Amino acid sequence: MIESMIIAGIGGFFGTCGRYLTGVAAKRMFSGSFPAGTFIVNIVGCFLIGIFFGLWGRHEMDAEVKALLITGFCGGFTTFSSFSHDQLKLLREGKYLTWGLYLVLTVVLGLAAVYAGMACIG
């Protein structure tokens, strides 16, 4: 169990670093109130977890690989808590159109990305 926890932590480290770098790049590329960094990592993370679960469905994945990629990397890369905070902030600022767009796009594209990731594997 300790070994799997350390492996998940290693995956989480790389996922978190990827999330941070994506956020920095998104701030440089996009302006406005739409939280592009959180949106991008959540959609990409959904796609990746779809690929990983698709692979796991076709080939039995070792518990350590699952801990590294799904629990660790995807867990560190994506962020529901930041998404929720962004939602509340947009509501408090009265940016209702951005709030609704962000909510619907994240949920719909997130589901589509998981499906697409799994479909890539077959």
Side-chain angles (χ1 to χ4, degrees), residues 16 32 46 55 66 83 101:
T16 301
C46 285
L55 286 171
K66 183 180 176 191
F83 166 74
L101 185 65

Side-chain angles (χ1 to χ4, degrees), residues 5-19:
M5 193 168 58
I6 291 169
I7 290 169
I10 291 168
F13 170 79
F14 286 104
T16 301
C17 290
R19 176 177 171 227

Side-chain angles (χ1 to χ4, degrees), residues 2-63:
I2 297 291
E3 182 179 317
S4 292
M5 193 168 58
I6 291 169
I7 290 169
I10 291 168
F13 170 79
F14 286 104
T16 301
C17 290
R19 176 177 171 227
Y20 173 78
L21 293 173
T22 301
V24 169
K27 282 187 182 197
R28 290 182 182 165
M29 294 171 50
F30 303 102
S31 62
S33 61
F34 191 84
T38 303
F39 178 74
I40 291 166
V41 297
N42 283 335
I43 301 306
V44 170
C46 285
F47 181 72
L48 290 175
I49 207 165
I51 288 174
F52 297 150
F53 274 117
L55 286 171
W56 191 23
R58 293 187 110 192
H59 311 284
E60 188 59 33
M61 192 183 295
D62 292 336

